[in-house]
């Protein structure tokens, strides 16, 4: 149950950080979709480890193999299975925590829930699991491209350094121009310097990824429990290290009066538009045709390179050594993950919308 996501466009992921492989089964992808494998690989490359000095130095090519659901380059309508094999796992790096609970990790909660845990890199709780989501999200993007829907995510904050510009003031084509994936070059340099200094201090730092979905038609979403923004929120909060989600005006909206916050409608060449977009493209849980934008907050990575006090499975006081290869800040690699999860939600709701009318 906890390893599946979606309704009609549904995925099921499997695998562990230090297991033989990770993968995803995609069910509900319409038949006849051209599966661009080069595009899928490019999306995985954006997420893979070892990209730069501000990411973990684990080396994984993250090359994938499609083992079902595609024939002669097109989806067949049957489940698509994609597998990504692990190549550079160093399980011995984790032998020192075989019976210890790392602070702010899932070690204790997994042990409590299951009575057993894979301590090698966190097993199923590792962020490496997201490689399967990005593969599935790439297929969703290929599907949504035919509907004119596009996705952009970028780093808008690292620690105290915040990009105080609305996404409409930025050139989103420049997101991939630097290793941080921040479209403002000057701010990107400052953020990269902060992350690198944090790494040298053997510590970690958090940040925010901003997501933008454009071209979404009006009418996607359900009006009560399955509101579109609720599902996007669930998707984002399911990503490792995420501690917060807001869309539209978010928490800043409380500073405005209703007269300032309301988005007035007008007609533009027979298209319904709004003069402002504090709603974030969603009203009553249903898309209104305007851009959907949101922020996702990522905590500082729990694994730090200094010793910490904790307990072991017997309840004894122990010291957890700072060892292994880890990201000093996850936001640069989280960008494609945020896009992938957003794409999975929109693909799912686009298919659901086709069942709402005769």
């Amino acid at each position: 149950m906890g390893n599946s996501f979606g309704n009609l466009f549904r995925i099921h992921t499997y695998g562990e950080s230090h297991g033989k492989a990770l993968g995803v089964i995609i069910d509900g992808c319409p038949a006849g979709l051209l599966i661009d494998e080069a595009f899928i690989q490019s999306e995985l490359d954006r997420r893979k480890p070892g990209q730069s000095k501000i990411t973990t130095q684990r080396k994984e090519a993250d090359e994938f193999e499609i083992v079902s659901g595609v024939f002669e380059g097109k989806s067949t309508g049957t489940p698509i299975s994609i597998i990504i094999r692990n190549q550079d796992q160093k399980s011995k790096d984790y032998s020192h925590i075989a019976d210890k609970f790392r602070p702010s990790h899932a070690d204790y909660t997994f042990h409590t829930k299951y009575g057993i845990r894979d301590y090698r890199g966190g097993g199923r709780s590792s962020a490496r699991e997201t490689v399967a989501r990005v593969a599935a999200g790439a297929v969703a993007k290929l599907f949504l491209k035919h509907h004119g829907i596009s996705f952009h995510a970028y780093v808008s904050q690292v620690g105290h350094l915040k990009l105080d510009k609305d996404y409409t003031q930025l050139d989103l084509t420049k997101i991939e121009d630097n290793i941080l994936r921040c479209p403002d070059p000057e701010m990107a340099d400052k953020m990269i310097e902060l992350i690198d200094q944090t790494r040298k201090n053997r510590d970690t730092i958090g940040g925010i990824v901003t997501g933008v979905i454009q071209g979404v038609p009006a009418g996607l979403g359900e009006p009560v429990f399955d509101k579109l923004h609720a599902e996007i929120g669930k998707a984002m909060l399911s990503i490792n290290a995420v501690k917060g989600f807001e869309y539209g005006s978010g928490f800043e909206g409380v500073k405005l009066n209703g007269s300032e916050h309301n988005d007035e409608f007008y007609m533009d060449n027979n298209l319904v538009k709004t003069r402002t977009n504090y709603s974030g493209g969603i009203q009553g849980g249903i898309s209104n045709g305007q851009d959907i934008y949101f922020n996702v907050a990522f905590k500082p990575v729990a694994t730090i390179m200094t010793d910490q006090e904790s307990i072991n499975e017997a309840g004894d006081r122990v010291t957890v050594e700072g060892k292994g290869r880890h990201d000093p800040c996850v936001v640069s690699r989280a960008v494609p993950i945020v896009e992938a999860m957003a794409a999975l939600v929109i693909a799912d709701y686009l298919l659901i919308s086709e069942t709402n009318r005769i």
Side-chain angles (χ1 to χ4, degrees):
M1 181 175 69
N3 299 297
S4 300
F5 183 79
N7 299 283
L8 299 186
F9 195 104
R10 186 171 180 81
I11 70 167
H12 183 90
T13 70
Y14 61 90
E16 295 83 32
S17 176
H18 285 238
K20 292 183 178 180
L22 298 102
V24 62
I25 297 172
I26 308 167
D27 200 6
C29 180
L33 178 67
L34 182 63
I35 303 299
D36 185 344
E37 294 196 18
F39 173 72
I40 297 174
Q41 188 61 61
S42 70
E43 292 291 277
L44 291 173
D45 288 346
R46 295 170 69 209
R47 195 223 67 96
K48 72 180 181 181
Q51 295 181 40
S52 68
K53 64 181 180 180
I54 61 171
T55 65
T56 172
Q57 293 309 296
R58 178 172 175 170
K59 300 296 183 182
E60 294 286 355
D62 282 351
E63 295 176 349
F64 70 96
E65 179 184 358
I66 297 176
V67 296
S68 71
V70 176
F71 179 67
E72 295 183 340
K74 293 182 178 180
S75 59
T76 62
T78 59
I80 298 173
S81 179
I82 300 176
I83 188 169
I84 303 102
R85 292 176 175 81
N86 289 325
Q87 297 176 329
D88 189 33
Q89 62 270 55
K90 293 184 178 180
S91 301
K92 62 181 178 58
D93 287 351
Y94 295 89
S95 58
H96 67 293
I97 55 140
D99 67 341
K100 299 175 182 178
F101 300 135
R102 293 170 295 174
S104 288
H105 276 271
D107 299 340
Y108 170 71
T109 52
F110 263 59
H111 179 76
T112 301
K113 180 177 177 65
Y114 297 108
I116 186 173
R117 66 183 174 95
D118 183 349
Y119 61 84
R120 304 167 304 166
R124 187 71 180 145
S125 69
S126 169
R128 178 138 183 78
E129 178 271 336
T130 59
V131 68
R133 306 188 195 200
V134 172
V139 175
K141 282 185 177 182
L142 291 171
F143 167 57
L144 294 169
K145 184 178 180 181
H146 289 278
H147 296 271
I149 301 173
S150 62
F151 299 83
H152 297 282
Y154 61 90
V155 175
S156 58
Q157 186 169 343
V158 172
H160 67 280
L161 295 176
K162 184 177 182 180
L163 182 57
D164 289 318
K165 291 181 181 179
D166 186 82
Y167 76 91
T168 58
Q169 300 174 295
L170 298 168
D171 184 353
L172 300 184
T173 65
K174 296 185 178 297
I175 291 173
E176 296 293 327
D177 285 0
N178 56 72
I179 59 175
L180 186 61
R181 299 193 168 94
C182 173
D184 184 291
E186 184 177 346
M187 181 56 77
D189 288 342
K190 294 178 181 178
M191 291 176 173
I192 291 169
E193 183 179 353
L194 176 58
I195 294 172
D196 196 37
Q197 186 57 54
T198 301
R199 178 186 62 82
K200 291 176 181 177
N201 292 339
R202 302 172 66 83
D203 213 336
T204 61
I205 196 167
I208 291 177
V209 173
T210 296
V212 182
I213 314 174
Q214 297 175 308
V216 178
L220 301 193
E222 300 299 314
V224 185
F225 296 112
D226 295 324
K227 290 179 170 64
L228 182 57
H229 60 268
E231 196 68 9
I232 296 174
K234 175 184 176 181
M236 298 307 146
L237 290 166
S238 74
I239 300 171
N240 307 66
V242 170
K243 301 297 286 186
F245 169 80
E246 64 176 358
Y247 78 103
S249 61
F251 290 101
E252 291 297 309
V254 304
K255 300 177 182 178
L256 302 177
N257 291 327
S259 56
E260 300 171 294
H261 193 273
N262 287 347
D263 298 320
E264 295 183 355
F265 291 105
Y266 70 99
M267 297 300 297
D268 181 14
N269 293 324
N270 293 320
L271 293 176
V272 177
K273 293 187 177 181
T274 59
R275 299 192 186 281
T276 54
N277 190 19
Y278 292 114
S279 298
I282 303 171
Q283 293 166 330
I286 301 171
S287 62
N288 67 3
Q290 309 308 301
D291 291 350
I292 296 172
Y293 63 96
F294 54 89
N295 291 321
V296 187
F298 289 81
K299 71 174 182 178
V301 178
T303 299
I304 59 177
M305 293 297 102
T306 54
D307 293 350
Q308 301 175 87
E309 295 302 308
S310 188
I311 61 173
N312 60 18
E313 294 176 6
D316 301 322
R317 199 74 185 165
V318 296
T319 298
V320 177
E321 299 176 70
K323 294 175 62 177
R325 300 167 296 174
H326 305 278
D327 293 277
C329 184
V330 299
V331 289
S332 64
R333 294 177 61 211
V335 164
I337 304 169
V338 167
E339 291 181 4
M341 293 307 298
L344 290 169
V345 172
I346 300 302
D348 192 29
Y349 274 71
L350 189 64
L351 292 177
I352 290 173
S353 72
E354 296 177 358
T355 70
N356 292 155
R357 293 187 181 186
I358 296 175

